[in-house]
Amino acid sequence: MLAQPLLFTAAAIGITLVCLLGVSFLGPFGAFINFLTPLPAAYLGMRYGVKTSLIVVVVTCLLLIELASTYTLVAYLGLFGIGSLLLPYLLHRLFPWDKAILYTAAGTAAVIMAIMFATVVINNVSITGIVNQVVQSEVDQALVVYQKAGLSADQLKEMSQAIQSMGAFVKRGFFGLYLATLIAIQALTLLILQRVKVKGESISGPSFARWRTPPHLIWLLIVGGFLQFVPQAVVVTIGWNILLVMLPLYFFQGLAVVHHFLRRKNYPRSVKSMLYLLLLVVNPLPVIVTSVGVFDLWIDFRRPRQKQI
């Protein structure tokens, strides 16, 4: 019986490294599987307990010290490692899945912010300098990936300009984007855990079709919007970071509304998956879904309607 957890643990470490470092040798596809990095440790945490996922995270960190840079190690902990411990820990303690995602993202962000603060104090550098260094590292890595993708000189030039513009955008909204990314990664991990859970495991919380954001959070969205009109660059940046966190939450609520109506239709799963993918990537559908999530607070699209006679 002991052999199976050991085998799964070894496999989880290998898969974690492939997902994390795959972007350097798998190109754009590696960037996609990068988001699956926390899944092996989180799955073992759900199946065998958090101590098992802790082994995966610790061994992965030790291997990264030898195989990669310090930046890659910190990026792993800040985006994937800490969350792959907190999420199964909270789910095992029957926290509702939405609160588990929120607390995992908040806990991970708190640890990384503490590390950044310690770096500022010890090395006498600025937060802005750290953010610029982090973003530039990601930009350089993305450029290397596309250079290896066999693009023509003109295509590579256009891609380089797009990546540099994206880098400037990320620098402006770094903290909001970071927190929103954490929430999205934990939501994706939870979705897959829900699909692959073994018999006897349970994940508590409301069904996604009935999920909605706490009503009082709408004030954060309103404040973030109003701050965009204040003639102070710092205030505008703060408001922009607030919006970058809140808008994805209301996008998820809009998806919950869509899921509520699709669940009532007998569409094949493949068709539903394609519809969700279109809602994610085809403009202006994400904006429409987000608007549905916001107005659902007042209209309540999912409320049973009485038929008119």
Side-chain angles (χ1 to χ4, degrees), residues 19-64:
C19 291
L20 180 66
L21 304 177
V23 67
S24 61
F25 57 87
L26 293 176
F29 179 71
F32 171 75
I33 68 170
N34 192 245
F35 289 100
L36 302 178
T37 300
L39 184 60
Y43 172 75
L44 291 187
M46 289 296 295
R47 184 164 185 175
Y48 297 114
V50 179
K51 289 182 179 179
T52 308
S53 55
L54 179 61
I55 293 174
V56 174
V57 172
V58 170
V59 174
T60 299
C61 289
L62 293 175
L63 291 173
L64 287 176

Side-chain angles (χ1 to χ4, degrees), residues 45-308:
M46 289 296 295
R47 184 164 185 175
Y48 297 114
V50 179
K51 289 182 179 179
T52 308
S53 55
L54 179 61
I55 293 174
V56 174
V57 172
V58 170
V59 174
T60 299
C61 289
L62 293 175
L63 291 173
L64 287 176
I65 292 174
E66 298 295 328
L67 298 174
S69 64
T70 302
Y71 168 75
T72 303
L73 172 61
V74 175
Y76 166 67
L77 288 173
L79 285 172
F80 310 116
I82 298 172
S84 65
L85 298 175
L86 287 178
L87 185 63
Y89 174 83
L90 294 172
L91 292 175
H92 266 305
R93 277 148 186 78
L94 301 181
F95 278 72
W97 60 265
D98 50 348
K99 291 184 178 179
I101 289 175
L102 179 61
Y103 295 162
T104 297
T108 302
V111 172
I112 296 304
M113 291 302 107
I115 292 174
M116 289 183 67
F117 180 76
T119 303
V120 167
V121 173
I122 295 172
N123 297 326
N124 194 26
V125 295
S126 66
I127 290 289
T128 302
I130 295 176
V131 170
N132 290 340
Q133 183 179 358
V134 169
V135 174
Q136 191 58 48
S137 296
E138 292 294 331
V139 168
D140 294 341
Q141 187 178 39
L143 291 174
V144 170
V145 169
Y146 283 103
Q147 285 172 356
K148 294 179 179 179
L151 300 178
S152 66
D154 291 339
Q155 290 174 326
L156 188 60
K157 182 178 179 180
E158 292 178 3
M159 187 60 65
S160 176
Q161 292 174 346
I163 292 174
Q164 294 291 350
S165 298
M166 181 62 69
F169 170 77
V170 172
K171 288 178 183 178
R172 181 188 174 204
F174 178 81
F175 296 102
L177 283 172
Y178 173 59
L179 190 54
T181 301
L182 286 178
I183 293 172
I185 289 172
Q186 301 312 319
L188 176 62
T189 302
L190 180 83
L191 175 63
I192 300 175
L193 288 176
Q194 179 70 29
R195 299 295 181 185
V196 301
K197 65 183 181 181
V198 297
K199 186 177 181 180
E201 292 179 350
S202 63
I203 296 176
S204 62
S207 67
F208 184 59
R210 302 304 304 170
W211 181 80
R212 62 182 69 243
T213 59
H216 60 272
L217 288 184
I218 190 63
W219 292 107
L220 281 177
L221 183 68
I222 293 171
V223 168
F226 273 114
L227 291 181
Q228 300 304 296
F229 300 99
V230 177
Q232 293 289 335
V234 174
V235 176
V236 171
T237 299
I238 292 173
W240 181 237
N241 279 269
I242 293 174
L243 290 177
L244 287 173
V245 177
M246 298 310 303
L247 288 174
L249 291 180
Y250 286 102
F251 174 77
F252 283 131
Q253 180 162 334
L255 275 183
V257 174
V258 173
H259 180 68
H260 168 77
F261 288 105
L262 287 181
R263 195 174 65 169
R264 298 163 60 180
K265 305 294 183 180
N266 194 25
Y267 295 130
R269 181 172 295 181
S270 59
V271 173
K272 292 181 180 179
S273 299
M274 182 59 67
L275 288 173
Y276 290 131
L277 181 61
L278 293 175
L279 293 176
L280 283 169
V281 300
V282 177
N283 283 326
L285 293 180
V287 177
I288 295 174
V289 172
T290 303
S291 300
V292 169
V294 172
F295 287 105
D296 185 51
L297 294 173
W298 295 283
I299 300 176
D300 193 1
F301 295 108
R302 291 164 284 186
R303 185 178 65 231
R305 311 293 177 183
Q306 292 184 350
K307 295 183 178 180
Q308 298 292 330

